[in-house]
Amino acid sequence: MPTRAEAFALVCDWTQSESLRKHMLSVETAMRAYARRLAQDEEAWAVAGLIHDFDYERFPNDAQAAEAEHPAEGVRYLRGLGWPEEILQAVLGHAHYTGVARETLMAKALFAVDELTGLITACALVKPSKAVRDVDVAGVRKKMKDKAFARGVNRDDIVQGAEALGVALDEHIGVVLAAMQENAEALGLVGVLLPPAQPTSASTAISGDA
């Protein structure tokens, strides 16, 4: 079983984009939360979440080829290192176009949290504070309905992922949101310090005769 440190070293070696690294950290965070919730191997689930997009920068796969580019290229590399097949199948399964069925809880959870972490991050970054602490479930649901917001996020994947896990959508959003809020510093979502609100001065002048 690869360690979290080994997985993160690969992420840093293969990925220079800070936002993409933060995405993988967000997915790791969500996978840890679901592993605890479902009494699964937290470290294995965390590693699967952390590594799932490590090859995306080198092999973006705009053509969505099933056996080339991301995630197939990365999985071939990891298989050569002797990584567990359960993790490799989960990584392959998080992309529809690979045609790999999501048969394990790990695979279903990875698919379910992947797009959702991106949506929650986008919700945080449009807040004046840019802080995930100021995001709530109702706000995420509202942004899901706004197709112009975070266009790259596949809403259907979020809904289908929750259904595959047997979790109500609001509950699913709540699980992932709470996990990201608890790990906000590592995810770069603590936000900025806003200046204190200035009190509105009400005029006390009285015009005219008493």
Side-chain angles (χ1 to χ4, degrees):
M1 177 66 201
T3 66
R4 196 266 178 192
E6 289 168 339
F8 190 60
L10 280 172
V11 166
C12 293
D13 185 36
W14 284 55
T15 305
Q16 301 308 307
S17 165
E18 190 65 22
S19 63
L20 184 52
R21 288 185 187 182
K22 288 292 194 294
H23 169 66
M24 287 182 270
L25 289 170
S26 295
V27 174
E28 176 197 7
T29 296
M31 288 293 281
R32 284 187 181 277
Y34 261 113
R36 292 191 294 268
R37 178 187 175 92
L38 300 173
Q40 299 296 310
D41 184 335
E42 182 177 335
E43 291 307 309
W45 280 44
V47 165
L50 182 59
I51 205 70
H52 82 286
D53 273 349
F54 88 106
D55 64 336
Y56 185 83
E57 194 172 86
R58 293 189 187 183
F59 305 101
N61 202 357
D62 294 334
Q64 297 193 343
E67 296 183 0
E69 304 277 307
H70 167 76
E73 206 63 57
V75 165
R76 273 191 284 273
Y77 181 82
L78 297 176
R79 186 172 282 126
L81 297 178
W83 276 51
E85 199 62 30
E86 182 184 22
I87 292 177
L88 303 185
Q89 291 302 306
V91 170
L92 288 171
H94 90 275
H96 279 298
Y97 53 80
T98 63
V100 174
R102 293 177 288 275
E103 298 176 342
T104 65
L105 271 177
M106 177 191 285
K108 291 175 182 178
L110 180 58
F111 177 74
V113 305
D114 185 22
E115 295 291 305
L116 180 54
T117 60
L119 181 61
I120 291 172
T121 297
C123 288
L125 294 179
V126 297
K127 293 287 185 182
S129 64
K130 301 190 182 303
V132 72
R133 68 174 179 273
D134 293 330
V135 178
D136 58 24
V137 172
V140 176
R141 285 297 298 269
K142 183 177 180 180
K143 290 298 188 184
M144 280 187 71
K145 296 175 183 177
D146 180 0
K147 298 302 172 64
F149 178 79
R151 293 172 188 261
V153 172
N154 190 317
R155 275 72 167 163
D156 291 339
D157 284 4
I158 296 173
V159 173
Q160 293 169 14
E163 289 175 351
L165 282 177
V167 181
L169 183 56
D170 281 0
E171 186 178 359
H172 177 50
I173 294 170
V175 170
V176 176
L177 176 59
M180 291 177 67
Q181 288 171 334
E182 289 174 8
N183 201 29
E185 184 173 358
L187 304 182
L189 295 174
V190 171
V192 297
L193 185 62
L194 297 175
Q198 297 297 317
T200 303
S201 57
S203 176
T204 56
I206 301 175
S207 60
D209 296 330

